[in-house]
């Protein structure tokens, strides 16, 4: 893809300045309001108008949304990187285009039917009404596009609560989609948000009596909040995806795929490979190939220095009189989330060429790089004796998130055993992790992967209620 980066940067800067001006006054229109009450009321009225439209017309609106999002994919990607300081423009363009083209529409709302001696029974899918959607800074435009298409396809309107650090990108995306809907003959304000997103605004949105359903895409805290709201909630939480490589794998392909998946948008997606567990007999070859495809290997004191840069250490002292060692815990330094590998390495005095995509290092299984979801292109590698140890460790370091796991193997039994043991929502075999959301793999895409609440890869049907309609002793022609 040929991209004029200077042109995109200039346009994105102008767009951001305009969105900031509109947001500061709350007068932007097209779904942007000063208060949660105004945003919810506008969405509620819009949803009533949407319900009057046919499914065919609803699909016309969705097509317009797809086209608008696809057309502005590059501008939104540039805005997101400039505003949040995270990720890679080229990868965000791809994610925006993916959300525009591969999010399911109304075809996902299948009707079930039973016909027999006692008549006809239908199971149809109806909307919840107004959905409150909390979106992350890591995928600001992608999640708005994906949720917006899916939730409107299901017949809902949406009040978005974007992360404040990506508010301008999120609000611009909402405006683009609303303009497309109106241009296609649909109601205004099917997608709304407040001009100044905040924790207080999010709490008000979650508690609002006219919000019928909550969907949160983010960290554990926000998922817990929606799950304890008392409303129907879908929670898409964190992951710590392990990638296992056994001795039967195509080692070069595994190395190439792992680097590609780990470096995709600088490891911001929760599906991305966060640690590699390899059988020791093929570890050296795997690491050598990883270096060939963009990995930079560090060891010894460089690893220790990197720990101090990208992690914050907390030491919990033992109780008075206790002989136990102090407990050390770590938190990710958010300044480095989603940064380029080259930038991260520079912080420890290492200069590398631009084609370096991932920092790789061998560590123990209990190293903080393994246990923490780093969300940056730093990839620990752990050697084990055999595939049984690899599977056990993979299950352990995934932390029961049941989000995503990856395995490279030509042994179907090994693949099956790990899939059954780890029980993740996404399980990718012999491919980069992003194949699990439709990049180079079959199937639809989503940026709301609901492991905690069990819906899995969400689609329009996830945002509907089941409605059972029974007609007795009629319309059966058997």
């Amino acid at each position: 893809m040929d991209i004029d980066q200077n042109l995109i940067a200039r346009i994105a800067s102008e767009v951001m300045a305009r969105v900031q001006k509109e947001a500061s006054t709350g007068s932007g229109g097209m779904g942007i309001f000063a208060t949660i009450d105004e945003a919810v009321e506008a969405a509620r009225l819009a949803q009533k108008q949407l319900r009057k439209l046919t499914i065919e017309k609803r699909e016309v609106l969705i097509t317009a949304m797809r086209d608008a999002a696809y057309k502005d994919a590059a501008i939104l990607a540039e805005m997101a990187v400039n505003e949040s300081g995270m990720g890679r423009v080229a990868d965000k363009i791809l994610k925006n285009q993916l959300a525009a083209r591969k999010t399911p529409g109304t075809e996902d709302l299948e009707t079930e039917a039973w016909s027999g001696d006692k008549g006809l029974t239908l199971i149809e899918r109806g909307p919840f009404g107004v959905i409150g959607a909390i979106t992350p800074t890591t995928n600001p435009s992608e999640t708005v596009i994906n949720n917006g298409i899916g939730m409107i396809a299901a017949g809902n309107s949406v009040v978005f609560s974007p992360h404040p650090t990506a508010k301008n990108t999120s609000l611009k995306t909402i405006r683009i989609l609303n303009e497309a809907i109106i241009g296609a003959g649909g109601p205004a304000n099917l997608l709304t948000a407040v001009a100044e997103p905040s924790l207080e605004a999010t709490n008000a949105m979650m508690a609002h009596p006219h919000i019928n359903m909550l969907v949160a895409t983010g960290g554990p805290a926000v998922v817990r909040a929606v799950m304890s709201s008392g409303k129907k909630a879908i929670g898409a939480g964190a992951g710590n995806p392990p990638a296992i490589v056994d001795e039967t794998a195509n080692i070069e392909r595994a190395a190439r795929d792992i680097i590609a998946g780990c470096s995709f948008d600088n490891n911001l997606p929760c599906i991305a490979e966060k640690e590699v567990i390899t059988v020791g007999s093929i570890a050296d070859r795997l690491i050598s190939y990883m270096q060939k495809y963009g990995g930079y290997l560090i060891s010894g004191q460089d690893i220790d220095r990197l720990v101090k840069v990208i992690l914050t250490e907390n030491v919990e002292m033992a109780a008075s009189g206790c002989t136990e060692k102090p407990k050390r815990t770590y938190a990710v330094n958010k300044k480095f989330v989603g940064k380029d590998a080259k930038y991260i390495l520079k912080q420890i005095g290492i200069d590398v060429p631009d084609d370096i995509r991932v920092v790789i290092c061998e560590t123990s299984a209990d190293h903080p790089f393994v246990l923490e979801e780093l969300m940056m292109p730093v990839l620990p590698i752990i050697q084990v004796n055999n595939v049984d140890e690899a599977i056990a460790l993979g299950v352990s370091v995934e932390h029961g998130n049941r989000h995503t796991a990856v395995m490279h193997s030509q042994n179907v039994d090994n693949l099956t055993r790990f899939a059954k043991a780890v029980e993740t929502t996404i399980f990718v075999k012999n491919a980069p992790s992003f194949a699990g959301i439709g990049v180079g793999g079959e199937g639809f895409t989503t940026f709301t992967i609901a492991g905690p609440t069990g819906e899995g890869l969400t689609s329009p049907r996830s945002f509907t209620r089941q409605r059972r309609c029974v007609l007795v002793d009629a319309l059966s022609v058997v």
Side-chain angles (χ1 to χ4, degrees), residues 124-178:
E124 295 185 301
R125 297 181 177 274
F128 270 86
V130 183
I131 297 177
I134 303 171
T135 59
T137 188
T138 51
N139 298 302
S141 53
E142 307 95 309
T143 308
V144 171
I145 295 166
N146 178 240
N147 282 351
I149 290 172
M151 292 172 182
I152 289 175
N156 305 285
S157 61
V158 194
V159 179
F160 283 103
S161 181
H163 197 284
T165 59
K167 74 170 187 178
N168 294 319
T169 306
S170 303
L171 297 182
K172 178 60 179 175
T173 308
I174 291 168
R175 289 174 55 84
I176 287 170
L177 296 178
N178 274 324

Side-chain angles (χ1 to χ4, degrees), residues 402-420:
R402 296 185 178 180
H403 197 290
T404 299
V406 180
M407 188 171 189
H408 295 269
S409 174
Q410 299 300 317
N411 186 309
V412 174
D413 290 339
N414 290 347
L415 292 165
T416 302
R417 285 196 295 126
F418 185 38
K420 287 184 175 181

Side-chain angles (χ1 to χ4, degrees), residues 88-99:
R88 304 175 69 91
V89 171
D91 292 341
K92 287 191 181 295
I93 292 172
L94 177 58
K95 291 199 293 183
N96 286 333
Q97 292 174 338
L98 186 72

Side-chain angles (χ1 to χ4, degrees), residues 21 52 71 112 116 163 183 290 293 299 307 311 326 328 462:
K21 181 179 179 181
K52 297 176 183 178
K71 179 175 70 71
E112 299 174 69
H163 197 284
M290 291 174 78
Y293 287 105
S299 60
V307 168
L311 297 175
R328 299 178 185 274
S462 306

Side-chain angles (χ1 to χ4, degrees), residues 261-469:
C262 175
S263 65
F264 186 61
D265 206 18
N266 281 343
N267 204 250
L268 287 176
C270 289
I271 61 166
E273 293 87 343
K274 299 295 191 287
E275 59 275 333
V276 173
I277 303 167
T278 177
V279 174
S281 61
I282 51 93
D284 289 345
R285 290 171 56 208
L286 179 68
I287 291 170
S288 178
Y289 279 125
M290 291 174 78
Q291 290 174 280
K292 174 182 176 180
Y293 287 105
Y296 185 88
L297 180 66
I298 63 172
S299 60
Q301 292 183 348
D302 286 337
I303 297 176
D304 296 336
R305 281 194 285 267
L306 190 60
V307 168
K308 293 177 182 178
V309 169
I310 67 173
L311 297 175
T312 302
E313 182 180 6
N314 300 307
V315 179
E316 299 178 10
M317 300 305 295
S320 178
C322 183
T323 59
E324 294 181 2
K325 293 181 179 180
K327 181 181 179 182
R328 299 178 185 274
T329 59
Y330 294 87
V332 174
N333 186 337
K334 294 182 180 179
K335 291 193 300 183
F336 296 97
V337 170
K339 297 297 187 186
D340 291 345
K342 180 175 181 175
Y343 175 83
I344 292 170
L345 285 168
K346 192 172 184 179
Q347 310 310 305
I348 59 172
I350 299 175
D351 290 317
V352 297
D354 292 342
D355 61 356
I356 293 299
R357 300 291 297 260
V358 179
V359 184
I360 59 175
C361 56
E362 289 196 70
T363 71
S364 62
D366 61 354
H367 194 276
F369 286 175
V370 177
L371 301 180
E372 300 296 327
E373 186 190 21
L374 299 179
M375 297 183 72
M376 61 187 79
V378 174
L379 188 63
I381 303 166
I382 310 103
Q383 291 193 35
V384 294
N385 292 317
N386 53 55
V387 72
D388 293 329
E389 290 185 17
I391 290 172
L393 181 57
V395 171
S396 175
V397 300
E398 203 274 331
H399 301 318
N401 293 315
R402 296 185 178 180
H403 197 290
T404 299
V406 180
M407 188 171 189
H408 295 269
S409 174
Q410 299 300 317
N411 186 309
V412 174
D413 290 339
N414 290 347
L415 292 165
T416 302
R417 285 196 295 126
F418 185 38
K420 287 184 175 181
V422 75
E423 295 186 303
T424 49
T425 302
I426 296 175
F427 185 72
V428 177
K429 300 174 282 293
N430 298 318
S433 55
F434 49 66
I437 58 169
V439 182
E442 293 296 333
F444 68 90
T445 193
T446 186
F447 288 90
T448 298
I449 300 164
T453 50
E455 290 80 7
L457 278 74
T458 54
S459 66
R461 71 178 67 185
S462 306
F463 312 123
T464 61
R465 300 175 184 270
Q466 280 196 12
R467 310 282 174 82
R468 184 166 181 146
C469 180

